[in-house]
Amino acid sequence: MCRALPITAAILCLTGCTPPRQDRLYLDAALRAASWIQSVEQATDAGKTWPADPENPGQVVIDLYAGSAGVVLFFLEAYATTGTTQFLADARAGADDLLARIPEDLSRQGAGLYTGVAGMGFALLETYQATGDQRYRAGVERIVKLLRTQARESGDGIEWNNVTDIIGGSAGTGLFLLYVADELDAPEARKLAVAAGRRLVQLGQDAERGKKWAMSPNYDRLMPNFSHGTAGVAYFLATLYQQTGERAFLDAAIAGARYLQAVAKTDDGGCLIFHHEPGGEDLFYLGWCHGPVGTARLFYRLAEVTDDPEWMTWVRKCARSLMISGIPERRRPGHWNNVGQCCGAVGVAQFFLDLHRVTGEREYLDFAMRVTADLLGRATRTDGGLKWVQAEHRVRPELLVAQTGYMQGAAGIGLLLLHVDAFNNNRQPTIALPDTPFE
């Protein structure tokens, strides 16, 4: 398999005056990101946490999107890569704090994968697998019990709120439950996921050539892509089919994919799907949340479960749209000053690295390395290590923040860099989130 290309000497200056070994450049940058996160840690009664925005240290965030759950995952991967016990100690201290914060109900934290207890549970499960400490497994089981007792019957199944999506809704929570069912041999978790899937099938709306899902009946926009829309819901349903063999889930997933094909912009041989309707039909994001990086996950999952080559063709269309877009050198309305896993460069680079892994095609690796080089070139060197100052929100380009977390901060960037290092050294990464088909 092809090896990754070295980054430029100018970029290496950001990680120190003395360049590291050529085969560990990305590891060195990841470790410097870890040093910066460690430099802003806060001790708690139960363990430690890391402020999402170190300039606002009083705001405690524990979720997977921006909070300490994502930082725990990064430290677990750093320990798996290096064997450095301090990284495991940091991960455990963060997981201990999460254990102390598992709520009694979902009134404040919510159920979701990225914004709720499901994401906390995923971080605890990964910590259990790294340590064998039964306390973390018990924490996961508490969260599954909480999801069971707080689920409400609705239509043909269950739901935890009226949100359907990957970020905070039933699709993401269901993916967590399926992961728990596999890893801990927990049939009760799978049963909950199936019930959530049946409710989602019922919520599909007839649309062009298929079906579409709204994020929530209370939201006045419909977003078709992965994080908040049809692509993410259909991905969960396709995954349910993969695990249960229930044809209704596959039929619904394919119906969602057919709708996305019907509305996709494909005149240049690619696949771009608008950000939202009404009013956002001419806005095209490029990342995980509302762009080809996320939506391609549905097409890849369908390729896996159907063996139909049509779906892999659509994965390649998604990749083509990114490769001809002019990024990373050129900023676009859908790819602004953002380097995160969610909206920006890290999600793009991870997608192309994964795509190279499954296809062996050099052009995908080359593009992943271009984006990663640009990412490293935008780092800020501090006494504590490396951080990335970015605009999380497209509509607020003036709001520039260096964050610590997974989806918009150094933990997510560091995970990508560790994954690149793993690729370069013929090692399989440890951390793969429940919403990725690229294991």
Side-chain angles (χ1 to χ4, degrees):
M1 188 176 287
C2 300
R3 299 266 61 81
L5 302 177
I7 56 179
T8 66
I11 293 170
L12 290 176
C13 290
L14 285 166
T15 61
C17 297
T18 303
R21 285 170 38 194
Q22 285 288 307
D23 61 341
R24 305 317 291 268
L25 300 178
Y26 306 99
L27 173 61
D28 184 78
L31 298 184
R32 291 176 188 271
S35 294
W36 178 69
I37 296 173
Q38 289 169 326
S39 75
V40 301
E41 70 183 31
Q42 297 177 351
T44 68
D45 290 342
K48 66 176 63 172
T49 190
W50 303 267
D53 174 7
E55 298 298 318
N56 188 13
Q59 185 177 2
V60 175
V61 182
I62 58 176
D63 63 28
L64 179 54
Y65 190 92
S68 56
V71 177
V72 167
L73 296 177
F74 171 46
F75 282 132
L76 289 173
E77 189 74 84
Y79 170 68
T81 302
T82 67
T84 302
T85 56
Q86 183 58 52
F87 290 139
L88 184 60
D90 288 334
R92 292 185 68 128
D96 289 344
D97 185 70
L98 292 177
L99 279 175
R101 297 180 189 272
I102 297 174
E104 296 298 319
D105 60 52
L106 299 178
S107 59
R108 296 187 63 185
Q109 190 63 33
L113 177 59
Y114 282 95
T115 58
V117 299
M120 296 169 61
F122 177 69
L124 292 172
L125 179 50
E126 295 301 286
T127 308
Y128 165 67
Q129 292 179 322
T131 65
D133 189 328
Q134 292 294 323
R135 294 182 305 123
Y136 303 125
R137 177 173 181 145
V140 178
E141 291 169 346
R142 282 175 57 196
I143 287 174
V144 172
K145 180 179 179 181
L146 179 63
L147 291 172
R148 176 174 56 79
T149 59
Q150 295 279 290
R152 64 194 189 201
E153 293 185 5
S154 183
D156 293 339
I158 62 167
E159 59 190 14
W160 294 274
N161 50 36
N162 62 8
V163 179
T164 63
D165 68 14
I166 290 286
I167 291 282
S170 292
T173 304
L175 288 170
F176 162 70
L177 289 167
L178 290 177
Y179 186 76
V180 172
D182 278 351
E183 298 300 314
L184 299 185
D185 190 21
E188 178 67 22
R190 181 172 285 105
K191 181 179 178 181
L192 287 172
V194 168
R198 288 177 179 151
R199 176 57 176 159
L200 287 172
V201 170
Q202 187 179 34
L203 289 172
Q205 305 170 20
D206 290 338
E208 297 94 323
R209 288 175 47 193
K211 288 188 179 293
K212 61 184 178 182
W213 281 262
M215 179 183 76
S216 165
N218 300 331
Y219 194 68
D220 61 0
R221 294 176 177 177
L222 189 147
M223 296 167 287
N225 286 288
F226 195 76
S227 63
H228 291 305
T230 296
V233 173
Y235 176 86
F236 167 54
L237 296 175
T239 305
L240 267 176
Y241 170 75
Q242 186 181 48
Q243 295 209 14
T244 67
E246 291 193 24
R247 181 72 199 196
F249 294 137
L250 179 60
D251 290 343
I254 290 176
R258 295 299 183 204
Y259 159 71
L260 295 170
Q261 289 174 319
V263 300
K265 181 178 180 291
T266 59
D267 53 348
D268 56 7
C271 173
L272 287 175
I273 298 167
F274 61 83
H275 182 273
H276 68 271
E277 61 176 354
E281 292 88 351
D282 295 324
L283 176 61
F284 300 94
Y285 276 27
L286 299 181
W288 173 92
C289 54
H290 298 286
V293 170
T295 298
R297 295 183 174 204
L298 168 61
F299 297 138
Y300 187 80
R301 179 64 91 210
L302 288 174
E304 285 185 308
V305 300
T306 67
D307 290 325
D308 185 341
E310 174 195 5
W311 300 116
M312 196 64 197
T313 297
W314 280 83
V315 175
R316 295 179 186 279
K317 286 176 178 288
C318 289
R320 174 173 167 77
S321 284
L322 291 160
M323 295 177 72
I324 66 175
S325 68
I327 67 168
E329 296 81 11
R330 176 188 172 194
R331 296 286 174 259
R332 299 283 299 263
H335 188 84
W336 61 98
N337 178 25
N338 186 283
V339 295
Q341 288 273 5
C342 182
C343 315
V346 175
V348 174
Q350 184 69 64
F351 169 58
F352 278 92
L353 182 62
D354 289 335
L355 199 52
H356 172 72
R357 281 182 181 274
V358 299
T359 67
E361 295 181 20
R362 179 70 195 216
E363 64 174 344
Y364 296 142
L365 178 62
D366 289 347
F367 195 75
M369 293 304 105
R370 272 178 56 197
V371 176
T372 303
D374 179 75
L375 169 72
L376 288 178
R378 295 168 64 189
T380 298
R381 188 180 178 191
T382 74
D383 291 340
L386 287 181
K387 66 180 183 180
W388 283 261
V389 181
Q390 62 159 13
E392 177 177 350
H393 306 289
R394 176 183 61 86
V395 296
R396 296 194 64 187
E398 79 287 351
L399 182 60
L400 300 173
V401 179
Q403 297 187 46
T404 60
Y406 176 77
M407 275 300 213
Q408 298 286 356
I413 295 167
L415 262 176
L416 166 72
L417 296 172
L418 292 175
H419 288 180
V420 174
D421 178 76
F423 174 80
N424 278 346
N425 290 277
N426 296 308
R427 186 180 66 82
Q428 188 69 18
T430 301
I431 303 297
L433 269 71
D435 61 28
T436 179
F438 304 109
E439 297 180 1

